[in-house]
Amino acid sequence: MGFEHTPVDPTSAERLATSGLELRLVDTAEHDDFDRWLQADQRGFHMAKATPASLAELRATTAHRRSVGVYDPQSPAPGHPVGTTQTWVTPLTVPGGATIDMWAVSSVTVSPTHRRRGVARALLEGELRAAAGDNVPMVGLTVSEATIYSRFGFGVATFTDSAEIETRRVRWSGPDAPGRLHFVDPDVLLPDAATIIDAVRSSQPGGLSYDDHFVGSVVGTIGDDRAGLRAVRYDDADGRPMGFASYRLRAHETDFAKHTATVQHLIGATDEATAALWRYLLELDLVATVRAPGRPVDEPVHWQLGDLRAATRRRRDALWLRILDVPAVLGARRYATAAAVVLEVSDPYGFTAGRFLLETDAEGAGHVEQFDGATPAGAASVALSIGDLSSLYLGGVSAATLARAGRIEERSAGAAFALERMLAVDRAPWLILGF
Ligand SMILES: CC(=O)SCCNC(=O)CCNC(=O)[C@H](O)C(C)(C)COP(=O)(O)OP(=O)(O)OC[C@H]1O[C@@H](n2cnc3c(N)ncnc32)[C@H](O)[C@@H]1OP(=O)(O)O
């Protein structure tokens, strides 16, 4: 049985029932029920009511996800949910290229008429228990506000940069790409984009698998604002599609030579493709500014601009993770050093609380076991919360910094930096597309 049939959590259903509310799965094959859920989701994020056309698109591209609603039978419109969430299971690429299952949680909304009486808590706790019950070892989400999810054991694991680049300052110093660029229609690009994103995500820590809804939104086959989207594809010297960029142009109020190009997405399966696409955008005529949100924090382009100050960058949290099974997730990734560390993990929900011994070998494999004994000679030892361990997991957060912040307690001298060296990665984790 797939995740879409996982029932709602009975504990949360009972808790909500004591407030007279009903928690249930939405039958996404039943259009009216699903449309009401979709409209509640739109309203929850202060978006305009979905048009019939966009409802049809959303139904077609997201019906396979598990949609959960909270209903108030006393409402004048009892079929309209007052709380929503949507979940699905995706592979999450971890350092070394293996994948683990991640229970993705999205669309957490509670109607302003029903806020701050524990509806979101019931939804979130219910999803943690549902994922644990299905033996999914990791839960992941992105947040509207960074103040909500730590209490449930989540920690931020990846960041993105929003770059703004003054094109007139750029003197391209990167390599010349041997391939060619072509404008492509969204329908033509869609399958290539899906292949390119899939190739990248399979080796990119933090990479997820993306369905047609996501890929269609970045190439412009779906979405309300698709008319202004342009897309180019980079084909390598052998003519194989290796990357694409989609972007919008906005004219300056008074100066036609100062358009702004805003990148919807830019992704290359090779560094050559990524550089070629960046160069294309930075050398567009009549464009003074290129804006690119959601970029990896170790983007090579900043070393190819010829003027480091041509770009300003703003960093933001992206993927938040919540480990549910410590041995499963630590055993799946690869490590940079051969070492041993004892992790004393606290967990407000008890899913993962305990002591674990992580031993890594010269090939980078990790062996993890629950552990009661004394810390072995030579092993590092730290105490930390499950949220902070989740932050460290993909290698995008420094253990030494968390120790300096007072979040990790070092039980042996230098233990945080020893852990940081074990977890080090050659490529910063990146959430390729937000969700
Ligand atoms: C993964 C995602 O989907 S991220 C998107 C989150 N959704 C949004 O931002 C849409 C707009 N906001 C909302 O719909 C709601 O305000 C929600 C979903 C954020 C919160 O729903 P509520 O039902 O009011 O939350 P609930 O009453 O269950 O609160 C649970 C806890 O979170 C806290 N909390 C709730 N909202 C916030 C907030 N915006 N900032 C900080 N803390 C918050 C509450 O104080 C409470 O804390 P405590 O129990 O530890 O004392």
Side-chain angles (χ1 to χ4, degrees):
M1 190 170 78
F3 66 88
E4 60 277 21
H5 301 299
T6 300
V8 293
D9 172 61
T11 308
S12 286
E14 274 170 39
R15 171 121 31 95
L16 289 168
T18 61
S19 316
L21 301 174
E22 186 201 349
L23 178 70
R24 68 166 169 86
L25 291 185
V26 175
D27 180 359
T28 58
E30 209 276 280
H31 285 187
D32 289 345
D33 198 28
F34 193 27
D35 284 357
R36 288 190 288 263
W37 185 97
L38 289 165
Q39 294 290 21
D41 182 33
Q42 296 278 119
R43 187 180 61 192
F45 289 108
H46 300 325
M47 293 190 288
K49 270 187 190 168
T51 61
S54 62
L55 280 175
E57 270 177 9
L58 286 165
R59 280 199 306 268
T61 52
T62 64
H64 60 287
R65 300 180 188 168
R66 179 173 165 276
S67 298
V68 174
V70 178
Y71 296 84
D72 183 350
Q74 292 183 32
S75 153
H80 293 255
V82 296
T84 62
T85 189
Q86 198 173 53
T87 59
W88 62 96
V89 174
T90 165
L92 164 68
T93 304
V94 304
T99 60
I100 58 172
D101 279 350
M102 187 189 93
W103 188 272
V105 176
S106 183
S107 295
V108 177
T109 75
V110 173
S111 167
T113 53
H114 289 65
R115 70 194 280 281
R116 303 302 183 272
R117 54 180 93 160
V119 175
R121 177 177 281 282
L123 285 169
L124 258 298
E125 292 179 356
E127 292 311 318
L128 295 183
R129 285 189 287 265
D134 278 7
N135 293 317
V136 176
M138 183 70 92
V139 183
L141 44 76
T142 59
V143 307
S144 57
E145 294 185 80
T147 46
I148 303 174
Y149 295 99
S150 306
R151 57 171 58 70
F152 302 110
F154 288 86
V156 57
T158 78
F159 292 85
T160 55
D161 278 348
S162 195
E164 179 164 319
I165 303 175
E166 255 183 280
T167 58
R168 70 177 173 81
R169 294 178 67 160
V170 175
R171 304 278 174 274
W172 182 257
S173 66
D176 290 327
R180 299 171 91 95
L181 287 150
H182 303 282
F183 275 113
V184 266
D185 285 336
D187 290 331
V188 175
L189 182 57
L190 187 71
D192 293 335
T195 305
I196 291 162
I197 290 173
D198 206 51
V200 173
R201 72 102 190 151
S202 63
S203 61
Q204 169 66 58
L208 307 177
S209 162
Y210 291 102
D211 58 28
D212 286 356
H213 177 72
F214 289 109
V215 182
S217 307
V218 297
V219 303
T221 53
I222 62 168
D224 291 335
D225 190 19
R226 72 185 90 166
L229 204 63
R230 307 240 175 253
V232 288
R233 193 182 70 199
Y234 176 77
D235 297 352
D236 69 10
D238 296 325
R240 293 172 303 187
M242 284 293 168
F244 71 92
S246 54
Y247 60 96
R248 293 188 166 79
L249 290 162
R250 188 169 48 80
H252 188 270
E253 280 164 20
T254 52
D255 188 339
F256 199 67
K258 288 188 178 169
H259 281 68
T260 296
T262 300
V263 180
Q264 173 86 4
H265 208 56
L266 183 163
I267 188 159
T270 57
D271 290 335
E272 171 192 303
T274 305
L277 291 159
W278 264 115
R279 185 176 190 177
Y280 164 82
L281 288 163
L282 294 167
E283 293 181 350
L284 280 172
D285 288 325
L286 306 177
V287 169
T289 308
V290 174
R291 291 201 177 124
R295 303 306 305 163
V297 297
D298 57 352
E299 177 101 87
V301 75
H302 296 283
W303 300 94
Q304 298 169 325
L305 297 175
D307 178 352
L308 207 52
R309 293 192 185 178
T312 50
R313 285 189 267 179
R314 203 160 37 86
R315 186 151 299 180
R316 219 176 75 165
D317 59 282
L319 180 65
W320 290 61
L321 292 177
R322 203 290 183 207
I323 297 171
L324 288 174
D325 183 337
V326 172
V329 305
L330 291 183
R333 59 156 289 174
R334 307 297 283 185
Y335 294 86
T337 57
V341 61
V342 172
L343 304 164
E344 198 172 315
V345 178
S346 59
D347 183 335
Y349 288 92
F351 291 112
T352 59
R355 282 179 93 223
F356 301 88
L357 174 62
L358 167 63
E359 293 174 294
T360 54
D361 64 25
E363 279 72 52
H367 310 277
V368 197
E369 60 185 41
Q370 196 119 21
F371 177 73
D372 288 328
T375 301
S381 177
V382 295
L384 75 180
S385 70
I386 192 60
D388 287 335
L389 184 60
S390 302
S391 285
L392 298 177
Y393 177 61
L394 295 177
V397 171
S398 153
T401 303
L402 293 191
R404 288 172 59 202
R407 300 179 70 102
I408 292 181
E409 196 183 317
E410 293 188 304
R411 295 278 164 83
S412 62
F417 189 47
L419 177 59
E420 179 166 332
R421 289 198 304 274
M422 290 167 87
L423 298 169
V425 285
D426 62 356
R427 180 173 284 233
W430 180 39
L431 180 65
I432 298 168
L433 296 175
F435 66 92

